[in-house]
Amino acid sequence: GQQVMQIPQYQHVQEGEDFTTYCNSSTTLSNIQWYKQRPGGHPVFLIQLVKSGEVKKQKRLTFQFGEAKKNSSLHITATQTTDVGTYFCAGSGNSGYALNFGKGTSLLVTP
Amino acid sequence: KAGVTQTPRYLIKTRGQQVTLSCSPISGHRSVSWYQQTPGQGLQFLFEYFSETQRNKGNFPGRFSGRQFSNSRSEMNVSTLELGDSALYLCASTAGRGGEQYFGPGTRLTVT
C-alpha cells in the first residue's frame, strides 16, 4: 500500500537558523497536505498542494510539491521559538481519499 | 463555528474491556476520520465515514469499529482492549472530499 516517509525524524536548531523537512511517497499522490502539531496539542492544517511542481509560501514557510507528485518539502526560514512542534505531511493517492500521514519531523528551536 | 469536540478527553481501561469514543464534527461537515497516534507509529488512519457510510478503512484489526449518525456525529469502539491500544485517538472532520482536516483535541486512552 501507499507509504509516506518523512525525514528527518528530529531536528534541533538555534533560533534564526533554517529548517527543512522532506516527505516521500512510494506512489503518486493526488495531493499533499501539511500539518503542525504543537506539544500537547492536535494537528492543525497548514496547506494543501495539488499541482505538480507547485510552490506555496506562507510568511517564512515555503512548501513544494515535486514534479512527479511523489515528494514534498517544507522549508522554514529563520526559525523562531514559536515554530516548535511536529510537522506532518499527509498524502492521498489517486485511487482513494484516505490520508496517509508521515511520522512527522519534530522541530526544537532553542533561543 | 465551534470546533471538533471529542469525549471523553481521558480514559483509563483495563485489558479485555471495551471502550467507545465520541466525536462531534464541525457543523456542516459530513466527513469524519479517525486516527490513532502513538509515539512510535505516528498518526495512523483508522477509518473515514461520510453520510453514515464507511468510505475508507485503515489497516487495523476488526476490534476497531466505528459508525456515524445522521447528524454526522461519530463513534469508534474498541473491543477486547490490549495494552498496545494505549494511544491518543484523534478524529477530524472535513467539509468535502479531499479538503483540509480539522482535528479535535483527542481522547487519551490508557490501557492497564
Coordinates of all heavy atoms in Angstrom, one line a residue, chain A residues 12-95:
Chain A
H12 N 17.0 19.8 15.7 CA 17.2 20.8 16.7 C 18.0 21.9 16.1 O 19.1 21.7 15.6 CB 18.0 20.1 17.9 CG 18.2 21.0 19.1 ND1 18.9 20.6 20.2 CD2 17.8 22.3 19.3 CE1 19.0 21.6 21.0 NE2 18.3 22.6 20.5
V13 N 17.5 23.1 16.1 CA 18.2 24.3 15.5 C 18.2 25.4 16.5 O 17.5 25.5 17.5 CB 17.5 24.7 14.2 CG1 17.4 23.6 13.2 CG2 16.1 25.3 14.5
Q14 N 19.2 26.3 16.2 CA 19.2 27.5 17.0 C 18.2 28.5 16.4 O 18.1 28.5 15.1 CB 20.6 28.1 17.0 CG 21.7 27.3 17.7 CD 21.5 27.4 19.2 OE1 21.2 26.4 19.8 NE2 21.7 28.6 19.7
E15 N 17.6 29.3 17.2 CA 16.7 30.3 16.6 C 17.4 31.2 15.6 O 18.6 31.6 15.7 CB 16.2 31.3 17.8 CG 15.1 32.2 17.4 CD 14.5 32.9 18.6 OE1 15.2 33.1 19.6 OE2 13.3 33.3 18.5
G16 N 16.8 31.4 14.4 CA 17.4 32.1 13.3 C 17.9 31.2 12.2 O 18.1 31.7 11.1
E17 N 18.1 29.9 12.5 CA 18.6 29.0 11.5 C 17.4 28.5 10.7 O 16.2 28.6 11.1 CB 19.3 27.8 12.1 CG 20.6 28.1 12.8 CD 21.3 26.9 13.4 OE1 20.6 25.9 13.7 OE2 22.5 26.9 13.5
D18 N 17.7 28.0 9.5 CA 16.7 27.5 8.6 C 16.4 26.0 9.0 O 17.2 25.4 9.6 CB 17.1 27.6 7.2 CG 17.1 29.1 6.7 OD1 16.8 30.0 7.5 OD2 17.5 29.3 5.5
F19 N 15.2 25.6 8.5 CA 14.8 24.2 8.8 C 14.1 23.6 7.5 O 13.3 24.4 6.9 CB 13.9 24.1 10.0 CG 13.0 22.9 10.1 CD1 13.5 21.7 10.5 CD2 11.7 23.0 9.8 CE1 12.7 20.6 10.6 CE2 10.9 21.9 9.9 CZ 11.4 20.7 10.3
T20 N 14.4 22.4 7.2 CA 13.6 21.7 6.1 C 13.3 20.3 6.5 O 14.1 19.6 7.1 CB 14.5 21.7 4.8 OG1 14.9 23.0 4.5 CG2 13.7 21.1 3.7
T21 N 12.0 19.9 6.2 CA 11.6 18.6 6.3 C 11.1 18.0 5.0 O 10.5 18.8 4.2 CB 10.5 18.4 7.4 OG1 10.0 17.1 7.4 CG2 9.4 19.4 7.2
Y22 N 11.4 16.8 4.7 CA 11.2 16.2 3.4 C 10.2 15.0 3.5 O 10.2 14.2 4.5 CB 12.5 15.7 2.8 CG 13.5 16.7 2.6 CD1 14.4 17.0 3.6 CD2 13.5 17.5 1.4 CE1 15.4 18.0 3.4 CE2 14.5 18.4 1.2 CZ 15.4 18.7 2.2 OH 16.4 19.6 2.1
C23 N 9.4 14.9 2.5 CA 8.3 13.9 2.5 C 8.4 13.1 1.2 O 8.4 13.8 0.1 CB 7.0 14.6 2.7 SG 5.6 13.6 2.9
N24 N 8.4 11.8 1.3 CA 8.5 11.0 0.0 C 7.4 9.9 0.1 O 7.2 9.2 1.1 CB 9.8 10.4 -0.1 CG 10.9 11.4 -0.4 OD1 11.0 11.9 -1.5 ND2 11.7 11.7 0.6
S25 N 6.7 9.8 -1.1 CA 5.7 8.7 -1.2 C 6.2 7.6 -2.1 O 6.9 7.9 -3.1 CB 4.4 9.4 -1.7 OG 3.5 8.4 -2.0
S26 N 5.7 6.4 -1.8 CA 6.0 5.3 -2.7 C 5.2 5.3 -4.0 O 5.5 4.6 -4.9 CB 5.8 4.0 -1.9 OG 4.5 3.9 -1.4
T27 N 4.1 6.1 -3.9 CA 3.2 6.1 -5.1 C 2.9 7.6 -5.4 O 3.1 8.5 -4.6 CB 1.9 5.4 -4.9 OG1 1.3 5.9 -3.8 CG2 2.2 3.9 -4.7
T28 N 2.4 7.8 -6.6 CA 2.0 9.2 -7.0 C 0.8 9.7 -6.1 O -0.1 8.9 -5.9 CB 1.6 9.2 -8.5 OG1 2.7 8.7 -9.2 CG2 1.3 10.6 -8.9
L29 N 0.9 10.9 -5.7 CA -0.1 11.4 -4.8 C -1.0 12.4 -5.6 O -0.6 13.0 -6.6 CB 0.5 12.2 -3.7 CG 1.4 11.5 -2.8 CD1 2.2 12.4 -1.8 CD2 0.6 10.4 -1.9
S30 N -2.3 12.4 -5.3 CA -3.2 13.3 -5.9 C -3.1 14.7 -5.2 O -3.2 15.7 -5.9 CB -4.7 12.9 -5.8 OG -5.0 12.8 -4.4
N31 N -2.7 14.7 -4.0 CA -2.4 16.0 -3.3 C -1.7 15.7 -2.0 O -1.6 14.5 -1.6 CB -3.7 16.7 -3.0 CG -4.5 16.1 -1.9 OD1 -4.2 16.2 -0.7 ND2 -5.6 15.3 -2.3
I32 N -1.1 16.7 -1.5 CA -0.4 16.5 -0.2 C -0.7 17.7 0.7 O -0.9 18.8 0.3 CB 1.2 16.5 -0.4 CG1 1.8 15.9 0.9 CG2 1.8 17.8 -0.8 CD1 3.1 15.2 0.6
Q33 N -0.9 17.4 2.0 CA -1.2 18.4 3.0 C -0.1 18.4 4.0 O 0.5 17.4 4.3 CB -2.6 18.0 3.6 CG -3.7 18.0 2.6 CD -5.1 17.6 3.3 OE1 -5.2 17.5 4.5 NE2 -6.1 17.4 2.5
W34 N 0.0 19.5 4.7 CA 1.0 19.7 5.8 C 0.2 20.1 7.0 O -0.7 21.0 6.9 CB 2.1 20.7 5.4 CG 3.1 20.1 4.4 CD1 3.0 20.2 3.1 CD2 4.3 19.4 4.8 NE1 4.1 19.6 2.5 CE2 4.9 19.1 3.5 CE3 4.9 19.1 6.0 CZ2 6.1 18.4 3.5 CZ3 6.1 18.4 5.9 CH2 6.7 18.1 4.7
Y35 N 0.6 19.6 8.1 CA 0.0 19.9 9.4 C 1.1 20.2 10.4 O 2.2 19.6 10.3 CB -0.8 18.7 9.9 CG -2.1 18.5 9.1 CD1 -2.1 17.8 7.9 CD2 -3.3 19.0 9.6 CE1 -3.2 17.6 7.2 CE2 -4.5 18.7 8.8 CZ -4.4 18.0 7.6 OH -5.5 17.8 6.9
K36 N 0.8 21.0 11.4 CA 1.7 21.2 12.5 C 1.0 20.9 13.8 O -0.2 21.2 14.0 CB 2.1 22.7 12.6 CG 3.0 23.1 13.8 CD 3.2 24.6 13.8 CE 4.1 24.9 15.1 NZ 4.4 26.4 15.1
Q37 N 1.7 20.2 14.7 CA 1.2 19.8 16.0 C 2.1 20.3 17.1 O 3.2 19.9 17.1 CB 1.0 18.3 16.1 CG 0.4 17.8 17.4 CD 0.1 16.3 17.3 OE1 0.7 15.5 16.6 NE2 -0.8 15.8 18.2
R38 N 1.6 21.2 17.9 CA 2.4 21.7 19.0 C 2.4 20.7 20.1 O 1.4 19.9 20.2 CB 1.8 23.0 19.5 CG 2.0 24.2 18.5 CD 1.9 25.5 19.3 NE 2.5 26.6 18.5 CZ 1.9 27.4 17.7 NH1 0.6 27.3 17.6 NH2 2.5 28.4 17.0
P39 N 3.4 20.7 20.9 CA 3.4 19.7 22.1 C 2.1 19.8 22.9 O 1.7 20.9 23.3 CB 4.6 20.2 22.9 CG 5.5 20.9 21.9 CD 4.6 21.6 20.9
G40 N 1.5 18.6 23.1 CA 0.3 18.6 23.8 C -1.0 19.0 23.1 O -2.1 19.0 23.6
G41 N -0.8 19.3 21.8 CA -1.9 19.8 21.0 C -2.3 18.8 20.0 O -1.9 17.6 20.0
H42 N -3.2 19.2 19.0 CA -3.6 18.4 18.0 C -3.1 18.9 16.6 O -2.8 20.1 16.6 CB -5.1 18.2 18.0 CG -5.8 19.6 17.9 ND1 -6.2 20.3 19.0 CD2 -6.3 20.3 16.8 CE1 -6.8 21.4 18.6 NE2 -6.8 21.4 17.3
P43 N -3.1 18.1 15.6 CA -2.6 18.6 14.3 C -3.5 19.8 13.8 O -4.7 19.7 13.9 CB -2.7 17.4 13.4 CG -2.6 16.2 14.3 CD -3.4 16.7 15.6
V44 N -2.8 20.8 13.2 CA -3.5 21.9 12.7 C -3.1 22.0 11.2 O -1.9 22.0 10.9 CB -3.2 23.2 13.4 CG1 -3.8 24.4 12.7 CG2 -3.7 23.1 14.9
F45 N -4.0 22.2 10.3 CA -3.8 22.2 8.9 C -3.0 23.5 8.6 O -3.2 24.6 9.0 CB -5.1 22.3 8.2 CG -5.0 22.5 6.7 CD1 -4.8 21.4 5.9 CD2 -5.2 23.7 6.1 CE1 -4.7 21.5 4.5 CE2 -5.1 23.9 4.7 CZ -4.9 22.8 3.9
L46 N -1.9 23.3 7.7 CA -1.1 24.4 7.2 C -1.5 24.7 5.8 O -1.7 25.9 5.5 CB 0.4 24.1 7.4 CG 0.9 24.0 8.8 CD1 2.4 23.5 8.7 CD2 0.8 25.3 9.5
I47 N -1.4 23.7 4.9 CA -1.6 24.0 3.5 C -1.8 22.7 2.7 O -1.6 21.6 3.2 CB -0.3 24.6 3.0 CG1 -0.6 25.6 1.8 CG2 0.8 23.6 2.6 CD1 0.4 26.6 1.5
Q48 N -2.4 22.8 1.5 CA -2.6 21.7 0.6 C -2.0 22.1 -0.7 O -2.2 23.2 -1.2 CB -4.1 21.4 0.5 CG -4.3 20.3 -0.6 CD -5.8 19.8 -0.6 OE1 -6.2 19.0 0.3 NE2 -6.5 20.3 -1.5
L49 N -1.2 21.1 -1.3 CA -0.6 21.3 -2.6 C -1.3 20.3 -3.5 O -1.4 19.1 -3.1 CB 0.9 21.1 -2.6 CG 1.6 22.0 -1.6 CD1 3.1 21.6 -1.5 CD2 1.5 23.5 -2.0
V50 N -1.6 20.7 -4.7 CA -2.3 19.8 -5.6 C -1.6 19.6 -7.0 O -1.6 18.5 -7.6 CB -3.7 20.3 -5.9 CG1 -4.5 19.4 -6.9 CG2 -4.5 20.4 -4.6
K51 N -1.0 20.7 -7.4 CA -0.4 20.7 -8.8 C 1.1 20.2 -8.8 O 1.8 20.5 -7.8 CB -0.5 22.1 -9.4 CG -1.9 22.6 -9.6 CD -1.8 24.0 -10.1 CE -3.2 24.6 -10.2 NZ -3.2 26.0 -10.6
S52 N 1.5 19.5 -9.8 CA 2.9 19.1 -10.0 C 3.8 20.4 -10.0 O 3.5 21.3 -10.7 CB 3.0 18.4 -11.3 OG 4.3 18.2 -11.7
G53 N 4.8 20.3 -9.2 CA 5.8 21.4 -9.1 C 5.3 22.7 -8.4 O 6.0 23.7 -8.4
E54 N 4.2 22.5 -7.7 CA 3.6 23.7 -7.0 C 4.5 24.2 -5.9 O 5.1 23.4 -5.2 CB 2.2 23.3 -6.5 CG 1.4 24.5 -6.0 CD -0.1 24.1 -5.8 OE1 -0.4 22.9 -5.7 OE2 -0.9 25.1 -5.6
V55 N 4.6 25.5 -5.7 CA 5.3 26.1 -4.6 C 4.4 27.1 -4.0 O 3.8 28.0 -4.7 CB 6.6 26.8 -5.1 CG1 7.3 27.5 -3.9 CG2 7.5 25.8 -5.8
K56 N 4.2 27.0 -2.7 CA 3.4 28.0 -2.0 C 4.1 28.5 -0.8 O 4.9 27.8 -0.2 CB 2.1 27.3 -1.5 CG 1.1 27.1 -2.6 CD -0.3 26.7 -2.0 CE -1.3 26.5 -3.1 NZ -2.6 26.0 -2.5
K57 N 3.9 29.8 -0.5 CA 4.6 30.4 0.7 C 3.6 31.0 1.7 O 2.5 31.5 1.3 CB 5.5 31.5 0.2 CG 6.7 31.1 -0.6 CD 7.7 32.2 -0.9 CE 8.9 31.6 -1.6 NZ 10.0 32.6 -1.7
Q58 N 3.9 30.8 2.9 CA 3.2 31.4 4.0 C 4.2 32.1 4.9 O 4.8 31.4 5.7 CB 2.4 30.4 4.8 CG 1.2 29.7 4.1 CD 0.5 28.7 5.0 OE1 1.0 28.3 6.1 NE2 -0.6 28.2 4.6
K59 N 4.4 33.4 4.7 CA 5.4 34.1 5.5 C 6.7 33.4 5.4 O 7.3 33.4 4.4 CB 4.9 34.3 7.0 CG 3.6 35.1 7.1 CD 3.2 35.2 8.5 CE 1.9 36.0 8.6 NZ 1.4 36.1 10.0
R60 N 7.2 32.9 6.5 CA 8.6 32.3 6.5 C 8.5 30.8 6.0 O 9.6 30.1 6.0 CB 9.2 32.3 7.9 CG 9.5 33.8 8.4 CD 10.0 33.8 9.8 NE 9.0 33.3 10.8 CZ 9.1 32.1 11.3 NH1 10.0 31.3 11.0 NH2 8.1 31.8 12.2
L61 N 7.4 30.2 5.8 CA 7.2 28.8 5.4 C 7.1 28.7 3.9 O 6.3 29.4 3.3 CB 6.0 28.2 6.1 CG 6.2 27.7 7.5 CD1 6.6 28.8 8.4 CD2 4.9 27.0 7.9
T62 N 7.9 27.8 3.2 CA 7.8 27.5 1.8 C 7.5 26.1 1.6 O 8.2 25.2 2.1 CB 9.0 27.9 1.1 OG1 9.3 29.3 1.3 CG2 8.9 27.7 -0.4
F63 N 6.4 25.8 0.9 CA 6.0 24.4 0.6 C 6.2 24.1 -0.9 O 5.9 24.9 -1.7 CB 4.5 24.2 1.0 CG 4.2 24.6 2.4 CD1 3.9 25.9 2.7 CD2 4.1 23.6 3.4 CE1 3.6 26.2 4.0 CE2 3.8 23.9 4.7 CZ 3.5 25.2 5.0
Q64 N 6.7 22.9 -1.1 CA 6.9 22.5 -2.5 C 6.3 21.1 -2.8 O 6.4 20.2 -1.9 CB 8.4 22.5 -2.9 CG 9.1 23.8 -2.9 CD 10.5 23.7 -3.5 OE1 11.1 22.7 -3.5 NE2 11.0 24.9 -3.8
F65 N 5.8 20.9 -3.9 CA 5.3 19.6 -4.4 C 6.1 19.2 -5.6 O 6.2 20.0 -6.5 CB 3.8 19.7 -4.7 CG 3.1 18.4 -4.7 CD1 3.6 17.2 -4.2 CD2 1.8 18.4 -5.2 CE1 2.9 16.0 -4.2 CE2 1.0 17.2 -5.2 CZ 1.6 16.0 -4.7
G66 N 6.7 18.0 -5.6 CA 7.6 17.6 -6.6 C 6.9 17.5 -8.0 O 5.7 17.3 -8.1
E67 N 7.7 17.5 -9.0 CA 7.2 17.4 -10.4 C 6.5 16.1 -10.6 O 5.5 16.0 -11.3 CB 8.4 17.5 -11.4 CG 9.0 18.9 -11.4 CD 8.1 20.0 -12.0 OE1 7.1 19.6 -12.7 OE2 8.4 21.2 -11.8
A68 N 7.0 15.0 -10.0 CA 6.4 13.7 -10.1 C 5.2 13.5 -9.2 O 4.6 12.4 -9.1 CB 7.4 12.6 -10.0
K69 N 5.0 14.4 -8.3 CA 3.9 14.3 -7.3 C 4.2 13.1 -6.4 O 3.2 12.5 -5.9 CB 2.5 14.3 -7.9 CG 2.2 15.5 -8.7 CD 0.8 15.5 -9.3 CE -0.2 15.8 -8.3 NZ -1.6 16.0 -8.8
K70 N 5.4 12.9 -6.1 CA 5.8 11.8 -5.1 C 6.6 12.3 -4.0 O 6.9 11.6 -3.0 CB 6.6 10.7 -5.8 CG 5.8 10.0 -6.9 CD 6.6 8.9 -7.6 CE 6.7 7.7 -6.8 NZ 7.4 6.6 -7.6
N71 N 6.9 13.6 -4.0 CA 7.7 14.1 -2.9 C 7.3 15.6 -2.6 O 6.8 16.3 -3.5 CB 9.2 14.0 -3.0 CG 9.6 14.7 -4.3 OD1 9.7 15.9 -4.4 ND2 10.0 13.9 -5.3
S72 N 7.6 16.0 -1.4 CA 7.2 17.4 -1.0 C 8.2 17.8 0.1 O 8.9 17.0 0.7 CB 5.8 17.4 -0.5 OG 5.4 18.7 -0.1
S73 N 8.3 19.1 0.3 CA 9.2 19.6 1.3 C 8.5 20.9 1.9 O 7.7 21.6 1.3 CB 10.5 20.0 0.8 OG 10.5 21.0 -0.2
L74 N 8.9 21.1 3.2 CA 8.5 22.3 3.9 C 9.8 22.9 4.4 O 10.6 22.3 5.1 CB 7.6 21.9 5.1 CG 7.6 22.9 6.3 CD1 7.1 24.3 5.8 CD2 6.7 22.3 7.4
H75 N 10.0 24.2 4.1 CA 11.2 24.9 4.5 C 10.8 26.1 5.3 O 9.9 26.9 4.9 CB 12.0 25.4 3.2 CG 13.2 26.2 3.6 ND1 14.4 25.5 3.9 CD2 13.4 27.5 3.6 CE1 15.3 26.5 4.1 NE2 14.8 27.7 4.0
I76 N 11.4 26.2 6.5 CA 11.2 27.4 7.3 C 12.4 28.2 7.4 O 13.5 27.8 7.7 CB 10.8 27.0 8.8 CG1 9.5 26.1 8.7 CG2 10.5 28.3 9.6 CD1 9.1 25.6 10.1
T77 N 12.3 29.5 7.0 CA 13.4 30.4 7.0 C 13.5 31.1 8.4 O 12.5 31.5 8.9 CB 13.2 31.5 5.9 OG1 13.1 30.8 4.7 CG2 14.4 32.4 5.9
A78 N 14.7 31.2 8.9 CA 14.9 32.0 10.2 C 13.9 31.6 11.2 O 13.0 32.3 11.6 CB 14.8 33.5 9.9
T79 N 14.1 30.3 11.7 CA 13.2 29.8 12.7 C 13.0 30.6 14.0 O 14.0 31.4 14.3 CB 13.6 28.4 13.1 OG1 15.0 28.4 13.6 CG2 13.5 27.4 12.0
Q80 N 11.9 30.5 14.5 CA 11.6 31.2 15.8 C 11.1 30.2 16.8 O 10.7 29.0 16.4 CB 10.5 32.3 15.6 CG 10.9 33.3 14.6 CD 9.7 34.3 14.3 OE1 8.6 34.1 14.8 NE2 10.0 35.3 13.5
T81 N 11.1 30.5 18.1 CA 10.7 29.5 19.1 C 9.2 29.1 18.9 O 8.9 28.0 19.3 CB 10.9 30.1 20.5 OG1 10.3 31.3 20.6 CG2 12.4 30.3 20.8
T82 N 8.5 30.0 18.3 CA 7.1 29.6 18.0 C 6.9 28.5 17.0 O 5.8 28.0 16.8 CB 6.3 30.9 17.6 OG1 7.0 31.5 16.5 CG2 6.2 31.9 18.7
D83 N 8.0 28.2 16.3 CA 7.9 27.2 15.3 C 8.0 25.8 15.8 O 7.9 24.8 15.1 CB 9.0 27.4 14.2 CG 8.9 28.6 13.4 OD1 7.7 29.0 13.2 OD2 9.9 29.2 13.1
V84 N 8.3 25.7 17.1 CA 8.5 24.4 17.8 C 7.2 23.5 17.6 O 6.1 24.0 17.7 CB 8.8 24.6 19.3 CG1 8.6 23.3 20.1 CG2 10.2 25.1 19.5
G85 N 7.4 22.3 17.3 CA 6.3 21.4 17.1 C 6.7 20.2 16.2 O 7.8 20.1 15.8
T86 N 5.7 19.4 15.9 CA 6.0 18.3 14.9 C 5.2 18.6 13.6 O 4.0 19.0 13.7 CB 5.5 17.0 15.5 OG1 6.2 16.7 16.7 CG2 5.7 15.8 14.5
Y87 N 5.9 18.5 12.5 CA 5.4 18.8 11.2 C 5.1 17.5 10.5 O 6.0 16.7 10.3 CB 6.3 19.7 10.4 CG 6.4 21.1 11.0 CD1 7.3 21.3 12.1 CD2 5.6 22.2 10.6 CE1 7.4 22.6 12.7 CE2 5.7 23.4 11.2 CZ 6.6 23.6 12.2 OH 6.7 24.9 12.8
F88 N 3.9 17.4 10.1 CA 3.4 16.2 9.4 C 3.1 16.5 7.9 O 2.4 17.5 7.7 CB 2.2 15.5 10.0 CG 2.4 15.0 11.4 CD1 2.1 15.8 12.5 CD2 2.8 13.7 11.6 CE1 2.2 15.3 13.8 CE2 3.0 13.2 12.9 CZ 2.7 14.0 14.0
C89 N 3.5 15.6 7.0 CA 2.9 15.6 5.7 C 1.9 14.5 5.6 O 2.0 13.5 6.3 CB 4.0 15.5 4.6 SG 4.9 13.9 4.7
A90 N 0.9 14.7 4.8 CA -0.1 13.7 4.6 C -0.5 13.7 3.1 O -0.9 14.7 2.6 CB -1.3 13.9 5.5
G91 N -0.5 12.5 2.5 CA -0.8 12.4 1.1 C -2.0 11.5 0.9 O -2.2 10.5 1.6
S92 N -2.7 11.8 -0.2 CA -3.8 10.8 -0.6 C -3.5 10.4 -2.0 O -3.0 11.2 -2.8 CB -5.2 11.4 -0.5 OG -5.3 12.6 -1.2
G93 N -3.7 9.2 -2.3 CA -3.4 8.6 -3.6 C -4.5 8.9 -4.6 O -5.5 9.4 -4.3
N94 N -4.2 8.5 -5.8 CA -5.2 8.7 -6.9 C -6.4 7.8 -6.8 O -7.5 8.1 -7.3 CB -4.6 8.5 -8.3 CG -3.6 9.6 -8.5 OD1 -3.8 10.8 -8.2 ND2 -2.5 9.2 -9.2
S95 N -6.2 6.7 -6.0 CA -7.3 5.7 -6.0 C -8.3 5.9 -4.8 O -9.3 5.2 -4.7 CB -6.7 4.3 -6.0 OG -5.9 4.1 -4.8

